[in-house]
Amino acid sequence: WVDLVHPDDRGRALKVAADVTAGRPVRNLRIRCVNRAGKVVVTQWSLRWSPEERLSFAVARDVTALEEQERALRESEARMRNTVGSALDCIVVMSADGRILDFNPAAERTFGYRREEVLGKDLGELLVPERLRDAHREGVANNLRGGRGRLIGQRVEMPALRADGSEILVELTVTRPAGVEPPVFTGFLRDVTEAHRARALEAGQRRILAGIASRQPLAESLEAITRLAEQQFPGSLSSVLLLDEAGEHLFTGAAPSLPREYSLAIHGAAIGPRAGSCGTAAWRGETVVVPDIATDPLWEDYRALAEQH
């Protein structure tokens, strides 16, 4: 029997033969053999030893084609893993019950989670903002009931949640491969937060310049500028303070989001070397950045007022 085995596999075949004669049946042994025509074929064996007859009984079949199919499948899967791993877009695979099945490196970078942290976790809880979770789950359920679902095959922009709790805007396409049971959904996502912000900035600048060109009142132009700044940096408050004609006192040009009491209190304040951020900037004639008004000495005379608001 060993003479039928390819020379490179004979050592393993001899060990198997020893296992069989010792009474240990061997199943699904896959080794290469050489047929009469000298062609190498892959064979799969099951062997059993009969101590009474001192014979081994074997069943073998030619699995050369199967081996080639399995090799091709392994290569295909390796190529797919490499493609998914090197993709610039996020690829997230979700099961029918909402659990994350795959999470590529781009998704790790975008959302701030490691792959091993999210596998098996509920996608809605991790990546979907709370206000949108019911709609997310209803969309999945509708698709499983036979409906199309709003996102399947469509390209949409929607908010997504990062590990640090911040939101980003993503462009999203979801596919559901046909014939896969149980069903899975694959999401292809791209962070478009900066692109969206840049488009909004450009559009805002055009509106402001158009207003200036049409000679709208200065207060309206300044308010548009402050609102655009706040739009670019969510959660921020913006204001513009102007100098009077003498160049000695500040007055409010625009502060749409600041408390009115605060704006009134600093209206007419004198500039100087320790006159808060804007008053000091006007005094020095250069940019002044204050990281923390609660501790910076430039705000010493205005700290109580600022902390009230």
Side-chain angles (χ1 to χ4, degrees):
W1 171 67
V2 173
D3 291 341
L4 300 175
V5 179
H6 188 281
D8 291 344
D9 288 354
R10 283 180 185 167
R12 190 155 57 94
L14 287 169
K15 181 179 183 306
V16 167
D19 287 342
V20 172
T21 55
R24 294 187 289 274
V26 174
R27 297 180 177 85
N28 300 321
L29 166 69
R30 193 172 287 193
I31 53 175
R32 291 169 295 172
C33 292
V34 182
N35 66 11
R36 180 186 290 274
K39 180 182 177 182
V40 176
V41 293
V42 181
T43 55
Q44 187 161 297
W45 297 73
S46 294
L47 302 102
R48 177 181 60 83
W49 175 257
S50 172
E52 297 82 7
E53 301 175 78
R54 298 191 59 75
L55 293 171
S56 65
F57 294 88
V59 176
R61 63 190 179 104
D62 183 351
V63 294
T64 307
L66 177 63
E67 177 84 2
E68 179 61 26
Q69 292 170 2
E70 291 175 347
R71 183 189 63 79
L73 179 61
R74 287 193 299 270
E75 291 178 354
S76 175
E77 290 175 341
R79 286 194 299 271
M80 180 59 70
R81 285 194 299 271
N82 183 62
T83 300
V84 170
S86 59
L88 296 177
D89 287 346
C90 307
I91 300 177
V92 181
V93 182
M94 183 188 76
S95 65
D97 63 354
R99 303 290 167 182
I100 296 175
L101 302 178
D102 207 355
F103 202 75
N104 77 335
E108 291 183 312
R109 293 190 295 272
T110 297
F111 291 102
Y113 290 106
R114 295 192 307 276
R115 183 175 183 270
E116 56 269 23
E117 288 181 297
V118 301
L119 292 184
K121 301 289 182 61
D122 186 283
L123 181 143
E125 295 292 330
L126 291 181
L127 307 184
V128 179
E130 186 174 0
R131 64 185 183 281
L132 301 176
R133 286 172 192 167
D134 289 343
H136 159 73
R137 295 188 177 104
E138 176 57 30
V140 174
N142 182 56
N143 186 274
L144 294 174
R145 289 193 297 265
R148 176 150 179 80
R150 187 174 69 88
L151 298 181
I152 301 297
Q154 306 296 314
R155 180 174 291 183
V156 299
E157 289 186 358
M158 62 184 301
L161 197 61
R162 299 187 74 254
D164 62 6
S166 63
E167 286 191 14
I168 57 175
L169 187 69
V170 297
E171 184 180 72
L172 167 68
T173 299
V174 179
T175 64
R176 178 184 172 182
V180 177
E181 295 296 337
V184 298
F185 299 90
T186 301
F188 301 89
L189 305 95
R190 178 178 301 169
D191 183 355
V192 294
T193 307
E194 290 305 318
H196 186 271
R197 183 176 291 166
R199 291 196 300 269
L201 177 60
E202 183 179 358
Q205 289 172 332
R206 285 200 301 268
R207 288 194 303 270
I208 292 167
L209 290 174
I212 294 173
S214 65
R215 300 193 179 190
Q216 71 180 10
L218 176 62
E220 292 183 18
S221 296
L222 295 180
E223 180 168 334
I225 290 171
T226 58
R227 291 197 182 279
L228 181 59
E230 291 172 351
Q231 182 187 63
Q232 288 291 299
F233 302 95
S236 66
L237 300 176
S238 177
S239 68
V240 176
L241 298 181
L242 303 176
L243 278 172
D244 60 10
E245 291 186 7
E248 297 175 353
H249 296 84
L250 299 172
F251 66 95
T252 302
S257 300
L258 289 174
R260 185 170 181 273
E261 297 83 357
Y262 177 82
S263 296
L264 289 174
I266 61 174
H267 192 80
I271 67 173
R274 294 163 66 93
S277 304
C278 292
T280 306
W283 175 268
R284 294 180 184 175
E286 62 184 30
T287 300
V288 170
V289 177
V290 173
D292 187 354
I293 63 175
T295 58
D296 196 291
L298 296 183
W299 275 78
E300 186 172 336
D301 295 339
Y302 301 90
R303 187 166 297 131
L305 172 64
E307 289 179 344
Q308 291 175 31
H309 302 287

